[in-house]
Amino acid sequence: MIPIAKPLIDQREIQAVLNIMEEGNLAQGEQVFEFEKQFASHFQYSYAASLCNGTVALHVALKAAGVRSGDVVLTTPFSFIATSNAILYCNAIPSFVDIDEDTFNMSLESLQEAIKKNPNAKYLLLVHLYGQPCQMTDIMHICNEHGITVIEDCAQAHGATYDTKPVGSFGLCGTFSFYPTKNMTTGEGGMITSSNENFIRYCKKLINHGSTTRYVHEITGFNYRLTNIAAVIGLAQLQKIDGMNSLRKKNAHYYLENIHNSAVSLPKVDPRADHVYHQFSLKTKYRDEFVKYLTSKKIGFGIHYPIPIHHQGNIKEYLQSMGIKSQSCPVAEAVSQQVVSIPVHPALSNEDVSYICDTINQFNP
Ligand SMILES: *Cc1c(COP(=O)(O)O)cnc(C)c1O
């Protein structure tokens, strides 16, 4: 079976973990701070704060951005559940903005409509889905005009740029995940990036029980710290991330040029975006047949995501309990019935990629 995801781990990560185990400083320490510094400088962010996963990175980012109980946060219905759950953790109200059917990212028209309908919305939490940046130049223009603070969920987009500027540097901050399926990993881990030093300082306080001096607590924080064990894996992965992203792009470009089958449609890339292909997702009206076919040919796949967030049970119940009517996002609803991700990760061989391509070209529903 060709897996849908596989992290690239070699002697560099293995030796780094052995070293830290022998040294004995396992929790947050020097290596964590070095990882923050190198992550920021590698991707050209001014400041970075690390955390134990990407979900809590979203929680801390929203809290530090000032999201409070009852605030409306505009967001996408087409993402991993963590994006919206972080809004719920702040007792705020997610308001869903429909997506573009070709890029799967938030639609500019729908964003403008949503702002008209929610004139008191103060926040936008967007996602660079599958590694493709949203239309950040236009989005920032619209949000600046309306005094809306932008938070970028970059969990799938390490190294992606829009108009040559890195994702996570347009809005107030960016958040990242280092789960093993992502473009780079630390096992579990996360990061917040920003050009605002005070903001990152406040995030670091929230991550460490509201404390900057040991046993002195100024605010109620959390234990969301990253470990040195995770950080040394991250430091090794940082040396490889550009190469790993290049391999993802190479695989994706091969698919874009060589998959020809009228039963599947290929994703569209915004020419102003440097897409890093966390996923390569096709659309097909024959998804049940297609995934059965892939399985019979020993090709792994993923469905990202089968249920749009506004239809998830926990979100529906939460909004209902606040007396908020259910919303519809027809594009996200339709797309969630058609998407299928095929392997695009850097551990694929050239033979794997051409086999996947030939196999898809022979699909006949
Ligand atoms: C993976 C992911 C997260 C959550 O990150 P974890 O590290 O798994 O907690 C959040 N948002 C998106 C879009 C993701 O893909």
Side-chain angles (χ1 to χ4, degrees):
M1 192 69 151
I2 302 174
I4 179 67
K6 189 178 178 205
L8 273 189
I9 300 294
D10 61 39
Q11 281 308 315
R12 254 185 284 207
E13 287 83 357
I14 295 168
Q15 203 52 53
V17 171
L18 288 177
N19 291 348
I20 199 76
M21 299 301 281
E22 275 169 12
E23 185 195 283
N25 287 320
L26 306 187
Q28 190 191 66
E30 210 181 290
Q31 284 77 6
V32 166
F33 306 127
E34 185 59 25
F35 179 44
E36 290 171 342
K37 214 168 87 189
Q38 288 195 24
F39 186 86
S41 74
H42 188 90
F43 296 113
Q44 298 179 334
Y45 301 114
S46 311
Y47 305 99
S50 63
L51 310 90
C52 54
N53 62 62
T55 304
V56 302
L58 285 164
H59 181 201
V60 167
L62 291 176
K63 225 177 138 62
V67 175
R68 296 288 174 266
S69 183
D71 283 347
V72 172
V73 182
L74 303 172
T75 192
T76 174
F78 199 56
S79 177
F80 181 54
I81 191 72
T83 309
S84 277
N85 275 355
I87 299 171
L88 272 52
Y89 301 159
C90 297
N91 299 309
I93 300 162
S95 183
F96 297 99
V97 181
D98 211 351
I99 58 166
D100 178 275
E101 63 176 344
D102 291 323
T103 63
F104 311 109
N105 277 330
M106 190 172 280
S107 132
L108 282 183
E109 292 71 37
S110 303
L111 175 61
Q112 275 160 325
E113 274 167 41
I115 293 172
K116 258 190 216 140
K117 264 194 246 158
N118 292 279
N120 33 358
K122 285 187 288 187
Y123 298 94
L124 169 64
L125 172 55
L126 55 77
V127 179
H128 304 295
L129 198 75
Y130 304 153
Q132 168 148 239
C134 295
Q135 298 169 76
M136 290 314 296
T137 309
D138 291 317
I139 289 176
M140 289 313 299
H141 188 75
I142 295 167
C143 289
N144 287 337
E145 206 167 286
H146 292 89
I148 293 172
T149 299
V150 177
I151 292 135
E152 302 173 59
D153 182 343
C154 310
Q156 307 186 352
H158 321 65
T161 62
Y162 191 81
D163 286 340
T164 72
K165 207 168 131 65
V167 296
S169 70
F170 289 87
L172 171 63
C173 62
T175 70
F176 294 82
S177 163
F178 303 121
Y179 191 73
T181 56
K182 309 287 160 120
N183 294 45
M184 61 176 280
T185 187
T186 63
E188 295 269 11
M191 193 76 81
I192 302 173
T193 58
S194 180
S195 59
N196 183 326
E197 187 175 13
N198 283 330
F199 176 82
I200 290 294
R201 210 177 278 144
Y202 191 73
C203 288
K204 287 191 170 185
K205 210 184 260 188
L206 285 173
I207 293 162
N208 190 22
H209 276 305
S211 162
T212 41
T213 308
R214 189 174 278 228
Y215 304 130
V216 180
H217 306 277
E218 296 149 17
I219 53 172
T220 304
F222 312 94
N223 174 1
Y224 283 169
R225 295 181 303 258
L226 189 71
T227 65
N228 275 348
I229 305 170
V232 295
I233 301 173
L235 283 165
Q237 290 267 302
L238 262 185
Q239 311 211 333
K240 308 196 290 202
I241 180 63
D242 296 343
M244 293 192 293
N245 277 346
S246 296
L247 288 169
R248 286 178 183 274
K249 288 180 207 176
K250 184 177 129 219
N251 296 339
H253 293 154
Y254 188 89
Y255 291 146
L256 287 171
E257 277 158 33
N258 295 292
I259 294 178
H260 302 287
N261 185 329
S262 57
V264 303
S265 59
L266 295 169
K268 298 243 161 61
V269 185
D270 182 337
R272 294 163 72 176
D274 187 13
H275 189 328
V276 293
Y277 294 99
H278 170 60
Q279 299 295 353
F280 189 94
S281 294
L282 307 161
K283 281 192 292 186
T284 173
K285 296 202 164 80
Y286 312 99
R287 188 166 68 188
D288 291 348
E289 293 85 346
F290 187 63
V291 301
K292 231 182 259 164
Y293 174 74
L294 291 179
T295 306
S296 75
K297 302 292 183 186
K298 306 222 177 316
I299 298 171
F301 66 89
I303 296 186
H304 308 102
Y305 296 90
I307 305 172
I309 293 180
H310 62 296
H311 284 177
Q312 293 287 358
N314 74 308
I315 304 289
K316 283 205 299 203
E317 192 188 307
Y318 177 85
L319 291 178
Q320 228 163 44
S321 77
M322 297 187 128
I324 293 162
K325 286 206 303 268
S326 63
Q327 269 179 276
S328 80
C329 295
V331 180
E333 286 155 27
V335 162
S336 67
Q337 299 300 308
Q338 294 186 10
V339 282
V340 183
S341 308
I342 59 171
V344 72
H345 56 80
L348 297 171
S349 65
N350 291 341
E351 292 70 38
D352 290 336
V353 176
S354 74
Y355 169 73
I356 291 168
C357 184
D358 294 343
T359 306
I360 291 174
N361 285 340
Q362 285 157 26
F363 172 60
N364 186 8

